[in-house]
Amino acid sequence: MLASAANRVLRRVLVAALSLATVLFAAVLGGQAARAQVAPGDSIPSRIYFTTFPLYYDGDYRNALAAFLAESRGGIRSVNSRWIDSICYFTMAGECYYQLGQLPAALDSYNSALKLYIAYSDWMMRVQFPPSVTAAVGAVRAAPWGQSKRGAVIGNFPDAILIGQGQVDQTAVVMRGGVVQQPILFPVHVSEIVRATSLAIRRRKELLGPVCKHDPLTGSLVEALLRRPGPPNHWSEAWTSVELGCAYAAAGNAAQAKTALERGLLVGGQFDHPLTSTALLELGKLALEAGEFAPAARYFEEATYASLAFTNPTNLEEGFRYGALAHLLQNQKGPYPLLAPAIVWAKNQGNRQLQCSLLLSAAENAAVLGDANEASAFINNARLVAARSDLLGSQLGARLNHLSALAAYQSGNVAAGDQSLAPALAFQRSGSLWGFQIAQTDSRYLNGELSDRTALGLYETVLRDPAPADWVSNPLECLSMLVLSTDSAYEHWFEAALKNSKDHELALEIADRARRHRFYSSLPMGGRLLALRWVLEGPLELLGERGLLERQDLLARYPRYAQLSAECAKLRAALADKPALPDSGEARRLQSEHLTALASASQAQELILRELAVRREPAEMLFPPLRKTKDIQQALPDGQVLLAFFATSRNLYAFLYSREKYAAWHVQSPATLQKQIPILLREMGNFEANHELTASELAKTSWKTTAAKVMSLLVEHSNVDLAGNFDEIVIVPDGLLWYLPFEALPVGKGDQKKLLLSQARVRYAPTVGLAVPYTTAHKP
């Protein structure tokens, strides 16, 4: 242990010294020709770039980031821009930002790398490739966790290949006159530049999610790669096919992505190559998204062998992580067989990032199998591996804390579970991919980069309730979505619905979604516990088909909860049959026993619910209900109207619905209204929390004038008259309107004015979905 720590320290010192030397070298020679920008004996990317990777895989992301950024500043430059070596520097800087949860900086880095690729998309045309590929000479490293079943041969690819930078065809120079300059030849790690390019495309897809296919850079990448910018009819086309497959996937074209990736799996139809593992990973992810878990598991396992053959630890970690996920999604009974030998192997390799990830996959597998003690042991081991590095404050650290919460809840330790979950969700405030996609949708719409129509579709996607596929793929992201503050995104979605389409029905539904999300974000685990309670204990007639299936599945897989639920139902029935105030000592004793047993069973249920909440278990968000405006309108009985408000940070909107018609309007002076409501409340005697009303104060009628002003402000320019023919009005307030006594507002004109309470019954509802009752529901 001491020796490995000393080696890590020595590695950091050497990398820091080499980085400083490179920066000084670039500063001295920055203005000279490109020939002078490569040190004698060096190659592209630089030697220091490769010596920085041990820092990155050791979880020392901040020092690795500093080194990659230093290399980017000292990279090769042409007259107008950087050159292709910076694709690698930008991509790996993006990887450091990505791991640290600094997602805007990560996206900027990946964008910079890919813009450089587009600017030099034909760079492979100048590579002096060997004409053919042969099998690798010597023994190929055997994987201790298994053996490939694909039957491919490991190809032999040179580490560096010469490439020319400059004008090859000098005819124009000779005809015009001038100095003929021979192209400069550089030794270039071609496969590394292609690896970095494909990695930048893949990570950018992860970051942007559904926004990615609407980004112009994505389209430019597909166009550039469709031109097949490499030597025609050459084995290197396999690399271009893999890049194109990644770009197609980013553009949302799954079928074309699969075709391109399959075409790029092998060189010459027989040889695995440095990008084979990337192709296998992306094929696995496509299968996973399609719900084809068994093929996905095979792709991910094969990706680990190809990653080992060509020393790609990034793909190796992803292969194991996604392979373990596919194993869980297939409901396999035992542990994922690759993990145990891989953990031993990774420990001997000194790759802390990989070792920590493998331990966490094993921990979740053990938890799913019901072994909380083994899960905790794996987690504690992972915490030791991650100590004294940036891993605990990274994506891996959030994953570690999330699984620590799962193991603690499973062990019955609620306090420890809550304590572990808090830092995981704290990291997600900046590191959540889902949250980043919401922010990207919102900012791009406000900047005019998205049309109203495109924005409406994207808002609906990124602001959706977590679906079953979301929960099984990443429960931590789903929990993050439920607790994140997304008020501004809902506001802009609402305004987009009103802006051009004038879709008032959709706008009212969006407003209800916003209210609902505010409610969720105020609850423990963002309403996740509430959702599970509804699915498991709610009235059957309210669950719907999907909710019923979820209940049956959960009760079947968690028999302890089903047993406790039956016990609670029996105890509640026994208590209901007896008087609430027993008249004998024996009856009081029996009631106390029943209540104690009910409390104990309920607490045990709550503990299981906490475990379920952080697991990959789907649970529909049933309450408050989301209902279509048309369904709400049809559910309004004759003589009932619905008045709903939605307050944004800038404006106030109102909707009035009856069974036959509706009206929608923008409250003209919300700032004036905000001033008048406190005045009205004071005139009614609401001075402070503990004020005694006198008879003279009760006799005052000055409040009626202010109430008339408030009503006028609410319906100004709306052509709405609340003195209509209805028996009941259901009001859904928002913002400051929750403090407004609508009953005291005057309606009608002239001598016909009367208080709203005299016109009809007044009822309040927190959401539009709760404004009308379920027709088949029983009262509690």
Side-chain angles (χ1 to χ4, degrees):
M1 189 64 126
L2 289 174
S4 62
N7 287 336
R8 284 197 294 270
V9 172
L10 180 59
R11 247 192 339 253
R12 293 176 187 176
V13 170
L14 288 173
V15 169
L18 286 168
S19 298
L20 178 60
T22 297
V23 172
L24 292 174
F25 182 79
V28 172
L29 299 178
Q32 298 185 25
R35 183 193 300 273
Q37 295 180 46
V38 181
D42 205 349
S43 59
I44 300 167
S46 69
R47 196 181 317 137
I48 294 176
Y49 167 79
F50 289 104
T51 58
T52 302
F53 275 89
L55 284 181
Y56 174 79
Y57 294 124
D58 202 41
D60 193 355
Y61 298 130
R62 288 180 172 82
N63 281 327
L65 174 62
F68 288 131
L69 290 177
E71 286 305 281
S72 73
R73 290 190 292 270
I76 298 174
R77 294 175 183 269
S78 64
V79 175
N80 298 317
S81 70
R82 301 170 186 271
W83 200 45
I84 57 172
D85 59 323
S86 288
I87 293 174
C88 301
Y89 309 144
F90 283 134
T91 295
M92 290 312 300
E95 285 291 277
C96 296
Y97 286 128
Y98 171 84
Q99 297 294 345
L100 291 168
Q102 299 176 29
L103 303 187
L107 180 62
D108 287 343
S109 296
Y110 297 133
N111 283 345
S112 297
L114 295 175
K115 287 174 182 176
L116 271 177
Y117 170 77
I118 290 172
Y120 295 99
S121 59
D122 63 346
W123 67 273
M124 282 175 51
M125 297 290 290
R126 296 187 290 278
V127 176
Q128 298 182 359
F129 285 109
S132 61
V133 174
T134 58
V137 179
V140 177
R141 283 191 296 175
W145 53 86
Q147 186 174 359
S148 173
K149 300 175 182 64
R150 291 172 50 243
V153 178
I154 304 301
N156 180 36
F157 298 88
D159 288 335
I161 311 173
L162 292 177
I163 181 175
Q165 184 196 30
Q167 186 68 33
V168 177
D169 184 0
Q170 304 286 343
T171 305
V173 178
V174 172
M175 292 178 66
R176 277 197 321 264
V179 180
V180 175
Q181 294 182 343
Q182 293 299 318
I184 303 168
L185 293 176
F186 295 113
V188 173
H189 291 268
V190 176
S191 62
E192 176 58 20
I193 295 174
V194 179
R195 183 200 74 87
T197 303
S198 59
L199 180 58
I201 298 172
R202 293 166 52 216
R203 283 286 190 261
R204 195 168 167 278
K205 175 181 179 287
E206 285 184 46
L207 288 173
L208 292 177
V211 184
C212 194
K213 65 181 179 181
H214 300 286
D215 187 282
L217 184 56
T218 305
S220 299
L221 282 166
V222 173
E223 289 176 11
L225 287 161
L226 276 172
R227 291 194 291 268
R228 292 284 170 181
N233 303 317
H234 188 263
W235 60 260
S236 62
E237 286 186 348
W239 293 356
T240 306
S241 293
V242 175
E243 291 175 311
L244 178 60
C246 295
Y248 271 139
N253 299 326
Q256 291 171 298
K258 183 178 180 182
T259 300
L261 291 166
E262 288 174 342
R263 191 185 301 130
L265 271 176
L266 297 172
V267 162
Q270 60 177 324
F271 295 113
D272 273 355
H273 55 88
L275 262 70
T276 294
S277 62
T278 296
L280 289 165
L281 274 177
E282 290 304 300
L283 286 167
K285 290 177 185 178
L286 291 172
L288 207 61
E289 290 170 6
E292 300 168 354
F293 302 140
R298 290 194 293 271
Y299 280 127
F300 294 134
E301 179 179 353
E302 291 292 345
T304 65
Y305 304 131
S307 300
L308 178 65
F310 291 96
T311 317
N312 190 331
T314 296
N315 285 1
L316 189 60
E317 187 274 334
E318 283 194 43
F320 282 120
R321 175 158 46 92
Y322 281 102
L325 172 58
H327 177 83
L328 293 179
L329 297 183
Q330 291 181 85
N331 292 320
Q332 299 288 347
K333 302 303 181 185
Y336 185 43
L338 277 63
L339 288 177
I343 288 171
V344 175
W345 177 84
K347 182 178 181 180
N348 294 330
Q349 299 300 307
N351 185 329
R352 291 209 284 178
Q353 185 190 64
L354 175 61
Q355 189 183 354
C356 186
S357 179
L358 290 168
L359 288 165
L360 294 179
S361 293
E364 183 177 12
N365 205 162
V368 168
L369 294 174
D371 194 336
N373 291 331
E374 187 176 21
S376 297
F378 280 125
I379 291 166
N380 291 336
N381 198 353
R383 199 178 293 278
L384 288 173
V385 171
R388 297 182 303 280
S389 74
D390 295 326
L391 288 170
L392 291 176
S394 71
Q395 299 269 5
L396 265 173
R399 186 177 158 208
L400 187 153
N401 285 318
H402 171 238
L403 291 173
S404 295
L406 169 58
Y409 292 141
Q410 198 171 33
S411 301
N413 194 336
V414 174
D418 292 345
Q419 189 176 5
S420 294
L421 187 60
L425 292 176
F427 176 86
Q428 290 292 101
R429 290 192 189 101
S430 63
S432 166
L433 295 174
W434 196 338
F436 185 69
Q437 290 156 16
I438 294 172
Q440 283 290 307
T441 299
D442 206 33
S443 63
R444 288 168 187 243
Y445 175 60
L446 294 181
N447 293 336
E449 299 173 37
L450 300 172
S451 67
D452 292 335
R453 181 178 178 181
T454 300
L456 284 172
L458 279 175
Y459 277 125
E460 185 174 11
T461 300
V462 298
L463 292 173
R464 69 189 182 277
D465 284 344
D470 298 316
W471 283 111
V472 299
S473 63
N474 199 326
L476 183 56
E477 282 289 347
C478 295
L479 286 171
S480 305
M481 163 59 185
L482 293 175
V483 301
L484 285 174
S485 175
T486 54
D487 286 351
S488 62
Y490 276 106
E491 287 182 16
H492 300 142
W493 184 16
F494 174 87
E495 290 166 355
L498 290 179
K499 185 176 178 182
N500 290 329
S501 64
K502 303 295 182 185
D503 192 340
H504 297 121
E505 293 182 357
L506 175 60
L508 185 59
E509 293 167 15
I510 295 167
D512 227 33
R513 284 177 177 270
R515 274 186 281 265
R516 193 165 169 266
H517 186 79
R518 288 180 209 155
F519 172 61
Y520 286 151
S521 62
S522 69
L523 297 176
M525 298 190 190
R528 169 72 161 159
L529 292 172
L530 179 67
L532 286 164
R533 291 189 193 103
W534 268 87
V535 166
L536 289 167
E537 303 291 344
L540 292 176
E541 61 270 20
L542 302 186
L543 293 185
E545 184 177 347
R546 194 171 89 181
L548 285 171
L549 291 173
E550 287 174 356
R551 173 181 286 189
Q552 292 170 9
D553 184 52
L554 288 172
L555 292 179
R557 290 192 295 113
Y558 297 91
R560 175 59 179 157
Y561 186 92
Q563 178 188 348
L564 290 167
S565 184
E567 287 179 17
C568 288
K570 188 176 179 180
L571 289 166
R572 282 193 294 268
L575 288 166
D577 287 342
K578 302 294 187 296
L581 295 174
D583 52 5
S584 69
E586 177 62 21
R588 285 193 293 273
R589 184 191 64 77
L590 190 60
Q591 183 189 60
S592 177
E593 287 180 359
H594 285 161
L595 288 171
T596 301
L598 181 61
S600 176
S602 297
Q603 288 173 355
Q605 281 182 301
E606 285 296 305
L607 186 59
I608 296 174
L609 285 180
R610 274 183 153 72
E611 178 190 345
L612 289 174
V614 295
R615 291 182 67 157
R616 302 178 189 272
E617 302 293 355
E620 192 172 358
M621 312 297 288
L622 292 167
F623 183 88
L626 275 181
R627 303 167 78 175
K628 292 291 184 182
T629 302
K630 287 182 178 179
D631 295 338
I632 294 286
Q633 192 172 10
Q634 291 302 309
L636 290 170
D638 292 334
Q640 187 181 80
V641 296
L642 168 68
L643 177 61
F645 295 90
F646 182 57
T648 70
S649 57
R650 298 172 298 281
N651 294 303
L652 179 65
Y653 300 87
F655 302 84
L656 182 65
Y657 275 82
S658 69
R659 189 178 179 87
E660 293 81 22
K661 53 187 178 179
Y662 75 90
W665 69 96
H666 170 209
V667 175
Q668 298 294 313
S669 306
T672 306
L673 180 65
Q674 191 170 8
K675 294 176 183 176
Q676 289 297 318
I677 291 176
I679 294 172
L680 173 62
L681 292 173
R682 282 195 297 271
E683 289 176 347
M684 288 179 162
N686 290 282
F687 290 100
E688 56 189 11
N690 201 12
H691 176 71
E692 182 177 346
L693 282 169
T694 64
S696 60
E697 285 175 328
L698 285 171
K700 290 180 180 179
T701 59
S702 58
W703 61 269
K704 293 183 178 181
T705 303
T706 307
K709 288 181 183 177
V710 169
M711 175 55 85
S712 176
L713 288 167
L714 282 174
V715 299
E716 186 179 3
H717 300 316
S718 68
N719 296 321
V720 166
D721 183 5
L722 291 180
N725 184 22
F726 55 87
D727 304 318
E728 183 180 56
I729 181 169
V730 185
I731 301 172
V732 182
D734 201 13
L736 190 65
L737 296 184
W738 274 107
Y739 298 93
L740 175 62
F742 282 87
E743 297 90 338
L745 299 182
V747 297
K749 297 178 181 178
D751 296 338
Q752 302 299 316
K753 277 190 177 181
K754 55 183 175 180
L755 299 185
L756 183 61
L757 186 60
S758 302
Q759 159 78 27
R761 296 186 302 275
V762 179
R763 182 162 59 85
Y764 294 92
T767 70
V768 172
L770 291 170
V772 294
Y774 293 98
T775 54
T776 58
H778 298 293
K779 291 184 178 180

